[in-house]
Amino acid sequence: MNSTSINNSLETGKLKYLTKWRYISSILSIVLMLVSLSVIGVKGFNWGLDFTGGVVTEIQLDHRITASEIQPLMTAAYQQDVSVISASEPGRWVLRYANIPDEQLRPDLRQVLAPLNTDITVLNSSIVGPQVGQELVEQGSIALLIAMLCIMGYLSFRFEWRLASGALLALVHDVVFVLAFFALSQMEFNLTILAAILAILGYSLNDSIIIADRIREQLVAKLQWKTADINNLAVKTTFSRTMITSGTTLLTVVALWIMGGEPLEGFSIAMFIGILTGTWSSISIGATLPEFLGLKAQHYQEVPLPDHP
C-alpha cells in the first residue's frame, strides 16, 4: 500500500463519525418537517391587514409621544391588535387596524387619544378592502412560485440532478419551518414576512450551493472514495466558513430585532429561524439526500468523445 492510499485511509477514518450524525439529523429534519406541515394545515395563519383588508389612518401628534403610549389606548378602545408605525416625520404615526363597519360601535379616534393631552390631526384615513388583500395573497403566492421555479432551473443547470434535488429540498425545508412557526404562534403574517421568506430562499440557496460545489469538486478529485466519505469531507471543510457566515448574519438580524421595534419584529424572527434552519438543512438534507439517491463520482466524469476513423 503506497503512502497516498495510507493517507486516504486515515483521512476517511477520521471522517466516519460524521456519517452517523448526518443520518440522524436527516431523519430528524424529515420528521420535524412533516410535523410542521401538520401544524400549518391545522392552525392556519393569522393573516395581517395586508391580506385581509382594514383601516389605515395617518395622524400627527406631539413629537415627544411614543408608540408605547399610543398602543395601549388604541388596543383597549378597538378591542384588537392595532399596528402603530412611525412615519417619515417626528410625531407622525400610521395606525392600522381591522375595520369596524358599524359606525355606532366605532370609537372616535380623537376621544381615544384624548388622554395624551395633545393636539391630534388626522392627516388621512383609508379603508383597504378584502379584495385588495386577496390580490396580495395571489401575487405573493405567484412571486414565491416564480422564485422557486427560477431556483429549480438554476440548480438543474449548474448541478447533476441528485445534488440539485438535495439543495431544493433544503429550501423547502427552511420555508416550511418558518411558516410552521407563524402558524403555531399565530403571529401576524403580513408582507414583511413574505419578504423575509423570499430572502431566506436566497440565503439558504447560497449555503447549499457552497456544500454542493465542494461535493462536486471532491467527487472529481477522489474517484476511489465512497460518496458518504466525500460528503463528510465536504461538510468538514465548509463548516467553519458556514458558521462564521451564519454567526455574523445572525448578529445583524438580532440587532435588527432589538433595534427595529415591532414593525420589524416579524421580519427579524422569520430571518432568524430561516438562517438557523438554512445552516442545518444544508448539512442534514443538502449533503445527505444526494447520497441516498445514489450520487457517485461517475456522474461527474466527462464522457469521452468517439474516435474518428
Side-chain angles (χ1 to χ4, degrees), residues 45-66:
F45 298 110
N46 176 24
W47 297 104
L49 296 180
D50 293 330
F51 299 105
T52 62
V55 179
V56 179
T57 303
E58 190 171 3
I59 61 174
Q60 180 75 44
L61 304 174
D62 190 299
H63 65 88
R64 291 170 294 183
I65 294 176
T66 63

Side-chain angles (χ1 to χ4, degrees), residues 4 15 25 30 32 73 82 125 175 184-185 194-195 234 257 274 276 307:
T4 303
L15 296 171
S25 64
I30 297 299
L32 290 177
L73 297 175
V82 179
S125 183
V175 172
L184 184 63
S185 65
L194 180 60
W257 189 348
L276 289 180
D307 296 331

